Amino acid sequence: MTIKLAGRGILTGLALVGIMAVSTTVRAEENDLLNATLWTQTAVEFKANAMAAYKLAEVMLDRSLADKNSTAATEQGDSYQDKPPAVILDIDETILDNTSYEAWLIKSNTGYSSKTWAPFVMGATSMPIAGSKEFIDYAKSKGVEVFYISNRKAPEEEGTRKNLVDLGYYVNDKIDTVLLRGEKEEWGSNKSTRRTHVAKDYRIVLMVGDNLGDFVEARDATVADREALLDTYKDFWSTKWITIANPMYGSWEAATFSYNFKLPNEEKRQMKLDAMQYWQPKE
Ligand SMILES: [Mg+2]
């Protein structure tokens, strides 16, 4: 049973009073975001993981730079070998840590909404993902252009740029390298058209992201389709495509409920339960 404690909105309020468990307004056992957000925000294991990924990215960047035939983008096309090199990074949960927003969702017992996400973005308070700034500085030192392709919406560009610049991330001030959703009509949530845009003038040597769509077209891909993509591009993963762990949200989750975001939470949750394999203890 849950009893509301006035003025205590955080999960640390769990306490035993007599034999009755008294918690805050948050019923943690019902919130799938809790452990994922806690891990991402507080665990050194997450930070060490991200640092390892970005250190690998530096090694693989050098390797890709040294081989003119190397490209990380399926959208690269022909005659790219002599184009200047570029890397593409996603923003959310790849270079910027938005766990304070996720924690707020838990505290508020609510789900993601563009109405609350937009002011969060415009507040420019996201923190850096460990290792990301060092990698970007490294790429810059090697003469590699750095593009950011994010599904933040075009009107959120000011807050996004402010956050990046405040944290000391390199952002080219001569050409537009912050490519957000809807900046151009053909730039939808599918990032392929933006990768094509970058590929016109650059050889894309490496990409970093937390979501399958940050690397390859995977719209409406089922869990099985996603496994197949992992296999199809086995030569890209960890060499040209570097992933940052995001256990809080992503297409991995949506695939389990067929991207049917409008379903009631209970139904989505049941579909997630149904998507798992279960141990059967012997009778
Ligand atoms: Mg992301």
Side-chain angles (χ1 to χ4, degrees):
M1 112 184 254
T2 300
I3 294 173
K4 292 184 178 181
L5 297 180
R8 296 283 302 280
I10 56 173
L11 287 161
T12 51
L14 186 66
L16 282 174
V17 178
I19 55 165
M20 184 190 295
V22 178
S23 75
T24 65
T25 55
V26 178
R27 296 177 64 177
E29 71 275 14
E30 290 182 0
N31 199 316
D32 296 347
L33 261 179
L34 174 60
N35 255 11
T37 304
L38 188 68
W39 184 73
T40 311
Q41 190 173 90
T42 71
V44 294
E45 290 85 348
F46 169 66
K47 293 182 178 71
N49 239 277
M51 287 159 65
Y54 276 112
K55 193 52 76 177
L56 176 65
E58 287 185 11
V59 173
M60 291 304 171
L61 177 63
D62 284 342
R63 201 166 101 167
S64 196
L65 282 173
D67 174 7
K68 281 196 162 193
N69 287 315
S70 172
T71 174
T74 58
E75 296 87 355
Q76 186 72 67
D78 300 325
S79 309
Y80 60 85
Q81 287 81 356
D82 293 318
K83 290 178 179 175
V87 291
I88 295 176
L89 297 105
D90 168 54
I91 293 180
D92 293 313
E93 270 54 65
T94 295
I95 61 169
L96 290 185
D97 164 339
N98 306 307
T99 56
S100 64
Y101 176 77
E102 302 298 318
W104 176 82
L105 292 179
I106 298 167
K107 186 172 89 167
S108 309
N109 220 357
T110 189
Y112 169 88
S113 152
S114 55
K115 285 195 178 69
T116 57
W117 174 249
F120 171 79
V121 165
M122 294 311 275
T125 55
S126 298
M127 301 298 285
I129 297 277
S132 61
K133 184 177 173 301
E134 291 82 354
F135 169 72
I136 289 164
D137 289 344
Y138 183 80
K140 180 77 174 34
S141 77
K142 296 279 175 170
V144 176
E145 192 52 79
V146 179
F147 284 87
Y148 304 98
I149 296 185
S150 167
N151 277 344
R152 290 182 171 199
K153 293 176 187 163
E156 295 160 2
E157 180 149 351
E158 189 187 337
T160 300
R161 282 179 176 269
K162 180 180 186 322
N163 207 157
L164 293 176
V165 171
D166 284 354
L167 292 173
Y169 285 99
Y170 161 67
V171 180
N172 191 323
D173 56 11
K174 296 186 181 64
I175 58 166
D176 185 8
T177 53
V178 181
L179 312 180
L180 303 188
R181 172 157 51 124
E183 268 186 52
K184 294 186 179 179
E185 203 183 323
E186 66 273 24
W187 291 2
S189 58
N190 175 356
K191 294 181 171 181
S192 192
T193 51
R194 282 173 279 171
R195 287 192 289 270
T196 301
H197 169 81
V198 175
K200 263 186 277 171
D201 297 319
Y202 294 87
R203 173 166 73 97
I204 300 168
V205 287
L206 187 117
M207 302 196 288
V208 190
D210 68 303
N211 204 32
L212 189 52
D214 294 332
F215 306 100
V216 67
E217 162 64 49
R219 193 181 183 84
D220 297 332
T222 64
V223 173
D225 293 339
R226 292 162 55 81
E227 289 286 342
L229 285 168
L230 187 74
D231 188 55
T232 300
Y233 294 103
K234 58 181 181 293
D235 295 338
F236 285 66
W237 297 108
S238 304
T239 55
K240 298 167 189 173
W241 297 353
I242 305 293
T243 48
I244 306 300
N246 179 5
M248 299 182 292
Y249 64 87
S251 55
W252 60 268
E253 181 189 21
T256 65
F257 53 79
S258 306
Y259 306 90
N260 204 341
F261 293 95
K262 293 198 169 138
L263 282 178
N265 280 341
E266 299 260 302
E267 275 183 56
K268 280 191 278 196
R269 196 153 203 281
Q270 187 58 53
M271 290 174 84
K272 287 198 270 183
L273 288 167
D274 293 344
M276 290 195 291
Q277 307 281 324
Y278 292 89
W279 174 55
Q280 294 281 6
K282 292 197 172 80
E283 296 292 313

